[in-house]
């Protein structure tokens, strides 16, 4: 391995990898190919290389248990969404980014339960069915749901909100239904006070995401789904900072004055301020073997 040159260095590096795990070796070889090709193609300068290292160092410095700037970098470069899309099985509801604001162990909410409590904002009735890809309703599917308050902040970003405000878990009924009342989430910015924020500003981009409801949906024997639902009238639908929007995840917040005809009884039915919105979305899971 003497006298490597701009071409032979790539094979030289790859020949050093002797992994027990074939997949890891393949991923490393392909990474070296890609990064070396990038460097040859762009004729990356020392100053530019140093800037990349300094950027990654700043990302490491700001990363802690609460905040991961590398995940955010992956998000704003569309990498997280690409990983979602290449792993989204045909026939299932499309997946979308998890984001950094999920908290495990949200309290269980009965079907038709209320998340509005004292939260200000437009009131929304959300309901639907979890089904298998053959159309069969899935009883006992577990959902986790989380969202921002009307001020665009998640409970873990806002000292004014209780720990599990606007978060819950639900288990579908025998007919696969889930449903709850909540307030309309607001658009918000991804954390922009670190190196990723600097990158966005330096590239003429803004940090806004369209408003959304987050869901994790799981059922025994089926592939788990992490996804988000977006309102069709959100101003940021076509410029999501993290590229999470999919056409199939956009829905209408229907203005409504009565709950009659809905398949679920809602605990807050008599307290809702009319007009409110209804949001209907059915999730589809595919078998785990898919
Ligand atoms: C979110 O949806 O909560 C989110 C996703 C990616 C980056 C930041 C926030
Ligand atoms: Fe979010």
């Amino acid at each position: 391995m003497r006298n490597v040159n701009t071409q032979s260095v790539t094979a030289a590096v790859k020949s050093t990898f002797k992994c027990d795990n074939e997949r890891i070796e393949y991923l490393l070889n392909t990474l070296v190919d890609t990064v070396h090709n990038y460097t040859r193609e762009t004729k990356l300068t020392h100053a530019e290389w140093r800037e990349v290292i300094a950027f990654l160092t700043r990302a490491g410095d700001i990363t802690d248990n609460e905040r991961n700037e590398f995940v955010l970098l992956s998000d704003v470069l569309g990498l997280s969404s690409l990983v979602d899309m290449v792993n989204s099985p045909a026939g299932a509801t499309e997946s979308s980014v998890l984001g950094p604001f999920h908290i495990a162990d949200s309290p269980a909410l009965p079907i038709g339960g209320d998340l509005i409590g004292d939260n200000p904002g437009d009131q929304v009735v959300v309901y639907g069915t979890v089904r298998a890809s053959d159309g069969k309703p899935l009883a006992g599917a577990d959902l986790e749901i989380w969202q921002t308050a009307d001020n665009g902040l998640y409970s873990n970003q806002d000292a004014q909100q209780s720990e599990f405000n606007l978060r819950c878990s639900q288990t579908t009924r025998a007919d696969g239904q889930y449903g709850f009342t909540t307030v309309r989430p607001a658009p918000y910015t991804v954390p922009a006070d670190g190196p990723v924020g600097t990158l966005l500003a330096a590239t003429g981009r803004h940090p806004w995401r369209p408003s959304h409801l987050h869901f994790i949906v799981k059922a025994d024997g089926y592939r788990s789904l992490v996804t988000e639902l977006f309102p069709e009238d959100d101003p940021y639908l076509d410029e999501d900072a993290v590229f999470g929007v999919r056409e199939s995840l956009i829905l209408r917040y229907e203005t409504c004055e009565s709950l009659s005809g809905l398949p679920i009884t809602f605990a807050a039915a008599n307290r809702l301020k009319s007009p409110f919105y209804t949001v209907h979305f059915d999730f589809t899971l595919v078998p785990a073997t898919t």
Side-chain angles (χ1 to χ4, degrees):
M1 218 190 291
R2 298 183 185 196
N3 290 330
V4 289
N5 61 34
T6 57
Q7 297 304 316
S8 66
V9 65
T10 305
V13 174
K14 291 196 298 183
S15 71
T16 62
F17 297 138
K18 307 257 176 313
C19 305
D20 294 337
N21 182 315
E22 258 179 54
R23 172 77 179 164
I24 292 178
E25 191 162 318
Y26 167 69
L27 292 175
L28 281 172
N29 282 330
T30 310
L31 179 69
V32 170
D33 277 334
T34 304
V35 173
H36 284 205
N37 283 338
Y38 174 87
T39 307
R40 280 186 285 262
E41 186 181 326
T42 61
K43 292 201 165 48
L44 195 70
T45 67
H46 283 103
E48 290 160 347
W49 175 83
R50 276 196 300 274
E51 191 46 52
V52 172
I53 299 296
F55 179 89
L56 294 175
T57 305
R58 288 195 293 276
D61 288 344
I62 205 171
T63 294
D64 58 21
N65 287 340
E66 306 289 312
R67 170 176 189 160
N68 192 318
E69 199 73 357
F70 294 105
V71 176
L72 186 57
L73 179 61
S74 161
D75 293 342
V76 303
L77 293 181
L79 175 60
S80 309
S81 275
L82 187 54
V83 174
D84 284 339
M85 288 186 281
V86 298
N87 289 287
S88 227
T93 297
E94 288 187 274
S95 65
S96 185
V97 290
L98 174 70
F101 301 115
H102 171 251
I103 312 179
D105 303 322
S106 294
L109 188 74
I111 303 298
D114 179 50
L115 292 179
I116 299 171
D118 296 333
N119 285 281
D122 293 336
Q123 301 184 334
V124 192
V125 175
V126 183
Y127 70 102
T129 305
V130 179
R131 296 180 194 282
S133 40
D134 63 4
K136 182 183 69 170
L138 289 175
D142 291 317
L143 295 97
E144 288 183 72
I145 299 144
W146 70 106
Q147 62 167 95
T148 66
D150 190 45
N151 62 2
L153 295 173
Y154 288 90
S155 63
N156 46 353
Q157 298 177 290
D158 183 2
Q160 303 308 311
Q161 295 181 48
S162 61
E163 184 181 5
F164 290 110
N165 190 42
L166 297 170
R167 297 169 186 271
C168 70
S169 58
Q170 279 201 327
T171 302
T172 54
R173 300 191 307 206
D175 59 358
Q177 290 274 347
Y178 73 93
F180 56 96
T181 45
T182 188
V183 292
R184 186 172 169 144
Y188 64 88
T189 60
V190 300
D193 56 342
V196 171
T198 308
L199 174 77
L200 291 176
T203 52
R205 286 174 55 179
H206 65 66
W208 285 90
R209 294 212 66 204
S211 73
H212 51 269
L213 296 163
H214 285 278
F215 290 84
I216 297 177
V217 188
K218 296 181 178 174
D220 286 345
Y222 291 85
R223 273 189 52 172
S224 298
L225 170 70
V226 178
T227 197
E228 312 174 274
L229 301 179
F230 303 89
E232 64 170 12
D233 57 351
D234 193 287
Y236 295 107
L237 273 187
D238 292 314
E239 40 188 289
D240 181 3
V242 303
F243 307 96
V245 180
R246 316 275 178 270
E247 191 68 43
S248 66
L249 302 177
I250 299 173
L251 42 72
R252 184 184 297 248
Y253 278 53
E254 300 275 3
T255 310
C256 189
E257 292 191 359
S258 147
L259 289 176
S260 67
L262 295 192
I264 290 176
T265 305
F266 289 92
N270 297 331
R271 303 195 297 275
L272 291 177
K273 287 187 219 122
S274 200
F276 47 86
Y277 292 107
T278 57
V279 162
H280 176 239
F281 192 85
D282 292 343
F283 295 98
T284 305
L285 302 183
V286 292
T289 48
T290 312

